[in-house]
Amino acid sequence: MKIIDLRIPARLGVWPIMLLVGVCLVLGWQITTVRYQPPAEGALSRNNATVVVADPSACPASISDGLATADIVVPLAEILGHCVRQSLAQLEQQGKAVILPHEWRDEFSTLPALKSGQAVYRVKVSFSTTPQGLWSLVLPTTGNNPAILVNDRLIGWGGSFQTPVARNTNRPLMFTIPQGLLIQGDNYFDIYVVSEPAATGFLDRLVIGRAEVLEASYQRYHFFRSTLPQIIALVVLVLSCAMGMLWFYRRQDREYGFCALGGVFWSIYTLDQFVVNIAGSYRLWDWLSVVSLGGLSLIGVFFIHRFLQQRYPRTEQSLLISLVGLALLLAVVPEAWFYGLLRFVAYPVMCFSLLYVLLFAAHAAWQVRSADLYVLVAAGSVVVLLAFYDLMVIWGFESLAYGRFLHFGAPFVLLAFGWILLQRFVRSLQAMESFNAQLIELNQELEARVEEKTRKIAQSYETIRILGQEQVLLHERSRIMRDMHDGIGVYLTSMLRQLENDTVDRQQLSHAAHHALNDLRLMIDSLGSASTDLPAMLGMFRTRIGVALEACGVDLEWNVDELPPLADFGPERALNLLRILQEAFTNALKHSSATCIRLSAKTESKSKGSSLIIIEVCDNGKGFNLEGRAGNGLKNMRYRAQKIKAEFAIKPSVLGTCLEIGLPLPNV
C-alpha cells in the first residue's frame, strides 16, 4: 500500500491538521462527559446514603436461584431479603454516611470488610403526600449486581447472584415500584450490591419518579451505555471481515490484514461493555479483555509502520515479546497480584503503545503533509484521549460510575479509514479516467491503421475462401468422377462390350446392369446428409440390400445400437464403407449358402480411453477357409478399410463367417 500524497498548500501551514485534531478532541472529550440526565421535573435524585458491609453469615458469596436446605427450597427473593435485613441490623453501629456515587476502593482503609465484595446501602426518601400512580427507580450504574428493596420489600435485582454474578457495571437498570408501596413520610430504599473484584464496586446516585417520566431518559442512557457498544462491536466486526477479504485478494497490502485483525481485537474488547452473564471466572474475563487491548495496541504499531512503509523490526519484536510475556505472566500470577499488574503495568503499557502510534503518525504527517495522515492522526488523537481517560479511571483519578470510553473511539477510526479508502478509490478512478483518455487518443490514431489492415485482411480471407471453395469443388468433382469411373464405368463398359458382340448373354447383361444400378445407389446414399449419421446410413443400406435378400430367400437379422456421430467422416469414406458392406453381403449370398445374415453395430471401449464402432456381418453358412487364396473381393474390402482408417478382420467358424469392421472414434 503506497501513500498517495494530497499536499496542503503552503499558505495553510499546519492549521488544517490542528483544527481537525482540535475538533476531534473536543468531540472525544464530550463523550467522556455524558451522564445520566433525569427529567428536570417529576424526578427525585438522591445522593445521600448510609453504607454497611453485608453480613457474611446471611449473605452467601454465591447464591443460586433457589437454595436447598434439607427438604425446603428457599427462593432467591427470601435469601436476598434475609441478607439485607441481617446486614441492616448493624447499620447503627457500623454504618457510614456516604455521598453517591460511592466507590469502594476509596474505603478499604476505613472499611476493610468491603474487600469481601458485598455491601448494603440505605437511602431515605420522604414524601409530604402519598405518591400516586406507578413509580420507578433508576440506577444509572452499579458494580456489579444489585438487589433493590423498598420499604423492606424486594422489587427486583440485576441478574444472577451465582458466581460469577451478573455484570451490570456498564448498563443502567430501571425497576418498577409496585403501586401502594410508597407511603407518605419516610421511605427506605435498600440496595444490596455484589462486586467482584471488590475494587471495582460502587453505587451511583438513585433517581426515582413516575415511570412514564423516567422512561425516555432511561432509554436514551441505556442506548448510550449498552446498545451503542453492541452496535459498535458488530459494525467493527463486519468491517473487519470486509478488510480481511480485501487483504485476501491483495496479499501484498498487509495493512488491510492488520486492520482486520485489529478490528477483531477491538470487538472482543468491547464485549466487556455490554455482556452481562460472562463465561468462566472474572479473572479469565478480565484477562481476555486486557489481552484483546494488548493485541489492539500491538496491531496499531505494526499497522502504522507498514502504512508509512517504514520498518522497525527491533521495536516490533521488543513490543511483541513484552506483550506476549505480560499476557503469560497475568495468566499464571496469583489473583492478589493480578489486578495490581493490570492497573500499574498492563494498561499503562498498552496506552503508551497507542500514544506511540499517534506520535509516529503525527511526525509523518508533519513531514509529508498528506491528507490521509491528517485524518488518521485526528482519529488516533481521539483513541489516545479515551484510552488515557480509561487509564485515569483505573488509577482512581476519574469515577468508576461513569464507565470507560475507549470503545467509542472505533467510529472515529472507522470514519478515518472510510475516508482514506474513499479518497484512494476516487484517485484510482481519476487515474483510470486519465489512462482511458490516453487510450482513446491512441485508439483514434490506430483506428485508421487497423481499419486499413482489416480491409486488406478481409480481402485476403475472401480470396482464400473462394479458392478454398473452388478447391473443395474440384476435389469433390474429381472424387465423383473417379468413383463413377471405378464403379459404374466398369459395369457400363462390360455391358457395352457384350452388346458389341454378335451374341448377347442377357443374364450377364442383366447382372451388369443391376451392379451398375446398385453402385449408383451407393454413391447417391454416400452423398446425402447421412454420411456422418451411421445409423441412418445403415438404415438406407438395409433398404437397398433387402430386395436382394428377399429374392434369395435369406433372412436378415438387424441389431444396430444407438451410435455416436462420426465427425469428418464424409461422403468418400461413407461410400467405401457401404461398398465393403455390399461386398460382404454379396459374398455371403454367392458363396456361403446361408439362410440368415446378421448385421450388428455397437460401440466398444478399448485400452487407453479409445473407442471403436464395431460393425459385424455374420452368416450361418458353410464358413470360409482363410488358408485359401484370397479373391479380388476380399482384397478390395481390405483396401477400402485402409482408406477409411478402419480395422478389418474375418472370423470364420463352423457356424459361418463373421466380417468385422472397427471405425475409430476420437478420444473425448
Side-chain angles (χ1 to χ4, degrees), residues 268-324:
I268 295 174
Y269 176 75
T270 309
L271 292 177
D272 190 52
Q273 302 300 315
F274 57 83
V275 174
V276 176
N277 299 308
I278 66 173
S281 64
Y282 276 109
R283 172 173 174 170
L284 176 61
W285 186 260
D286 291 334
W287 180 86
L288 180 63
S289 177
V290 74
V291 166
S292 61
L293 181 58
L296 176 61
S297 61
L298 180 64
I299 291 300
V301 174
F302 277 78
F303 167 79
I304 198 62
H305 287 169
R306 282 151 184 80
F307 184 80
L308 298 175
Q309 296 182 330
Q310 300 183 30
R311 299 297 176 89
Y312 297 90
R314 292 186 178 180
T315 302
E316 294 175 355
Q317 291 175 4
S318 300
L319 184 59
L320 176 61
I321 293 173
S322 300
L323 291 178
V324 172

Side-chain angles (χ1 to χ4, degrees), residues 283 287 325-335 337-338 341:
R283 172 173 174 170
W287 180 86
L326 184 58
L328 295 176
L329 179 63
L330 290 171
V332 298
V333 297
E335 188 169 348
W337 295 0
F338 177 78
L341 286 174

Side-chain angles (χ1 to χ4, degrees), residues 40-338:
E41 298 181 359
L44 301 176
S45 181
R46 290 294 181 264
N47 300 80
N48 297 318
T50 304
V51 62
V52 63
V53 178
D55 186 354
S57 62
C59 303
S62 179
I63 308 173
S64 62
D65 292 339
L67 183 64
T69 304
D71 296 331
I72 302 175
V73 176
V74 182
L76 176 62
E78 293 187 13
I79 299 173
L80 294 175
H82 177 70
C83 167
V84 172
R85 284 187 289 270
Q86 287 294 107
S87 301
L88 291 176
Q90 308 295 324
L91 187 64
E92 294 184 0
Q93 295 81 13
Q94 301 178 6
K96 180 180 179 180
V98 295
I99 301 297
L100 303 179
H102 176 246
E103 299 181 15
W104 298 1
R105 61 187 179 183
D106 299 332
E107 300 287 352
F108 285 161
S109 58
T110 57
L111 292 175
L114 272 178
K115 294 181 180 180
S116 64
Q118 297 170 290
V120 177
Y121 291 85
R122 166 158 284 190
V123 177
K124 184 174 69 172
V125 179
S126 299
F127 294 101
S128 58
T129 60
T130 301
Q132 301 296 323
L134 187 64
W135 284 58
S136 294
L137 164 68
V138 174
L139 291 179
T141 50
T142 183
N144 286 331
N145 194 22
I148 313 297
L149 285 81
V150 177
N151 293 332
D152 201 32
R153 178 177 173 181
L154 185 68
I155 64 170
W157 56 90
S160 175
F161 282 91
Q162 186 172 356
T163 304
V165 299
R167 291 171 64 99
N168 297 284
T169 306
N170 299 303
R171 68 164 184 164
L173 297 173
M174 184 174 180
F175 302 95
T176 301
I177 303 174
Q179 294 188 25
L181 189 58
L182 296 177
I183 60 175
Q184 182 180 358
D186 294 337
N187 295 265
Y188 294 96
F189 293 77
D190 301 320
I191 302 97
Y192 170 59
V193 181
V194 177
S195 182
E196 184 180 348
T200 61
F202 67 92
L203 180 66
D204 199 357
R205 57 180 173 158
L206 274 68
V207 179
I208 59 176
R210 296 284 297 271
E212 64 273 14
V213 174
L214 298 181
E215 181 66 27
S217 60
Y218 165 76
Q219 292 296 341
R220 287 194 298 270
Y221 196 61
H222 186 276
F223 175 82
F224 176 78
R225 292 299 300 269
S226 182
T227 306
L228 186 56
Q230 296 179 49
I231 297 174
I232 291 174
L234 180 60
V235 172
V236 170
L237 184 60
V238 170
L239 293 181
S240 298
C241 294
M243 282 288 186
M245 292 297 296
L246 186 60
W247 169 78
F248 180 79
Y249 288 106
R250 291 185 58 85
R251 299 290 182 87
Q252 69 274 20
D253 295 335
R254 296 183 179 180
E255 296 81 358
Y256 294 133
F258 285 120
C259 287
L261 188 58
V264 172
F265 281 128
W266 206 324
S267 299
I268 295 174
Y269 176 75
T270 309
L271 292 177
D272 190 52
Q273 302 300 315
F274 57 83
V275 174
V276 176
N277 299 308
I278 66 173
S281 64
Y282 276 109
R283 172 173 174 170
L284 176 61
W285 186 260
D286 291 334
W287 180 86
L288 180 63
S289 177
V290 74
V291 166
S292 61
L293 181 58
L296 176 61
S297 61
L298 180 64
I299 291 300
V301 174
F302 277 78
F303 167 79
I304 198 62
H305 287 169
R306 282 151 184 80
F307 184 80
L308 298 175
Q309 296 182 330
Q310 300 183 30
R311 299 297 176 89
Y312 297 90
R314 292 186 178 180
T315 302
E316 294 175 355
Q317 291 175 4
S318 300
L319 184 59
L320 176 61
I321 293 173
S322 300
L323 291 178
V324 172
L326 184 58
L328 295 176
L329 179 63
L330 290 171
V332 298
V333 297
E335 188 169 348
W337 295 0
F338 177 78

Side-chain angles (χ1 to χ4, degrees), residues 23 152 251 425 438 506 527:
V23 171
D152 201 32
R251 299 290 182 87
F425 179 71
Q438 296 176 3
R506 297 178 63 84
L527 291 173

